[in-house]
Amino acid sequence: MTAVDETVPEFVTYTVDEGVAWVMLNRPQYGNAQNYRLLNQLDAAFKRAVEDDGVKVIVLGGEGKHFSAGHDIGTPEKDSNFQRERVHLWWDHTNKGGAERQYVLEQDAYLGLCRRWQEIPKPTIAMVQGACIAGGLMLAWVCDLIIASEDAFFQDPVVRMGQPGVEYFAHAFELPPRVARELLLLGERMPAERAHQFGMVNRIYPRESLRAEVAKIAAEIAQRDRFGLALTKQAINFVEDLRGKRQAMDGVFHMHHLAHAHNQLMTGNLVGGLDAKAMAKANKEQAGEG
């Protein structure tokens, strides 16, 4: 397991209770936005849970008001130049230029990590409250179950940035294609109740009882045979891949980076000049909060 650097804030916390690993995103002051150090720590936490025979189920949650506001595009701790430990055999991105730099980074840190986590052999549960936006969707979608609070909402507004959705493009597998188009083209918030109607969310509970209800579900799953659970996960993943999930995701990932390169040429910015504040303002105005 990767050694802990004591100089880096604890962006992810890890506890085990009765066979359940609780992995919690811990940047509540920024809506649990995902910088690369957080993603590194999340990967280390998942690896720790997988290697612990005492852990039967993994719960992924977020501290504070929101599950995750997505990828970090503008906090003081944004770290795109961070020399991260790569999980795949891609070369270092930090000394590269042009489209290569971002492609190599996201191939490993976004698409690569999500695929790695989606293949975790132990059952995973996303415990979602508040906002689950863009990169937040990626973390929830890699989990086997999504249990949400009544006030949770799901959103991918990155078409505003000229991007065809986030890098782990599971939209049309999680939702009917016409609804996936709506999610992307309008970029509106999808309430948990509507996501539940389409099968993207398994169950909904009041926020105050969410953790207790997730603990009950995890405890029930933890009674099953470990190898049987792993094979069941592999079976469903196999069916999804037969339906073209992996191939489709590869194709859209390349479109995503064509969009990055186009934005860079046209505006000098990967995301068309929309920073975190501009995106937050647009989202709030659309939701009638601004």
Side-chain angles (χ1 to χ4, degrees):
M1 190 168 62
T2 303
V4 175
D5 184 348
E6 299 295 342
T7 66
V8 176
E10 190 177 36
F11 294 129
V12 175
T13 63
Y14 181 92
T15 57
V16 176
D17 184 16
E18 297 185 351
V20 179
W22 294 83
V23 180
M24 302 295 292
L25 309 180
N26 190 34
R27 295 186 77 206
Q29 71 275 36
Y30 300 119
N32 292 316
Q34 306 157 30
N35 61 17
Y36 296 108
R37 284 170 290 175
L38 179 148
L39 295 175
N40 275 12
Q41 291 177 24
L42 181 56
D43 187 60
F46 283 147
K47 190 171 188 290
R48 181 178 177 183
V50 168
E51 293 178 345
D52 183 351
D53 284 345
V55 169
K56 295 290 293 294
V57 181
I58 303 167
V59 174
L60 172 63
E63 299 289 357
K65 185 177 180 180
H66 300 297
F67 174 72
S68 178
H71 296 147
D72 188 342
I73 59 172
T75 79
E77 295 167 345
K78 186 177 185 297
D79 53 8
S80 58
N81 292 319
F82 176 56
Q83 180 66 53
R84 58 183 304 278
E85 183 174 335
R86 296 176 295 283
V87 297
H88 295 106
L89 291 177
W90 278 92
W91 47 84
D92 179 22
H93 75 283
T94 58
N95 61 354
K96 307 299 186 293
E100 180 183 17
R101 176 187 174 89
Q102 198 68 16
Y103 182 92
V104 169
L105 172 60
E106 294 188 8
Q107 179 72 246
D108 190 72
Y110 290 161
L111 181 59
L113 281 176
C114 281
R115 280 180 166 164
R116 173 180 166 93
W117 299 334
Q118 198 255 339
E119 293 175 353
I120 288 172
K122 297 182 179 182
T124 55
I125 302 172
M127 180 176 65
V128 178
Q129 84 283 2
C132 181
I133 302 174
L137 290 172
M138 295 168 56
L139 297 188
W141 282 344
V142 300
C143 293
D144 300 299
L145 303 180
I146 300 177
I147 312 298
S149 64
E150 292 173 337
D151 65 350
F153 66 89
F154 304 85
Q155 184 180 22
D156 189 356
V158 303
V159 174
R160 289 198 188 106
M161 299 174 166
Q163 302 294 140
V166 289
E167 295 83 355
Y168 184 81
F169 193 86
H171 306 63
F173 290 88
E174 297 287 343
L175 295 164
R178 203 170 301 281
V179 179
R181 289 187 181 101
E182 177 188 347
L183 181 76
L184 287 162
L185 296 175
L186 293 178
E188 294 174 341
R189 296 178 178 182
M190 178 179 287
E193 181 57 42
R194 188 160 190 242
H196 180 259
Q197 291 170 6
F198 292 118
M200 193 179 91
V201 166
N202 295 94
R203 299 183 185 182
I204 301 172
Y205 297 103
R207 181 186 280 246
E208 58 269 21
S209 61
L210 179 63
R211 185 179 177 108
E213 295 294 344
V214 169
K216 289 179 187 177
I217 293 168
E220 178 64 27
I221 295 172
Q223 296 179 42
R224 310 294 189 266
D225 175 74
R226 178 175 56 246
F227 192 45
L229 290 171
L231 292 176
T232 301
K233 286 199 61 168
Q234 283 187 329
I236 300 298
N237 289 348
F238 183 68
V239 171
E240 285 191 312
D241 283 343
L242 282 176
R243 291 174 176 171
K245 184 177 182 180
R246 187 178 186 90
Q247 188 175 13
M249 203 171 285
D250 281 338
V252 179
F253 183 76
H254 294 131
M255 296 177 200
H256 185 95
H257 281 274
L258 173 61
H260 271 324
H262 180 72
N263 281 342
Q264 193 77 48
L265 285 169
M266 299 300 291
T267 69
N269 184 278
L270 287 168
V271 291
L274 283 178
D275 60 13
K277 288 184 179 179
M279 282 294 286
K281 183 174 183 292
N283 287 339
K284 288 180 179 178
E285 288 175 350
Q286 187 177 42
E289 296 179 1

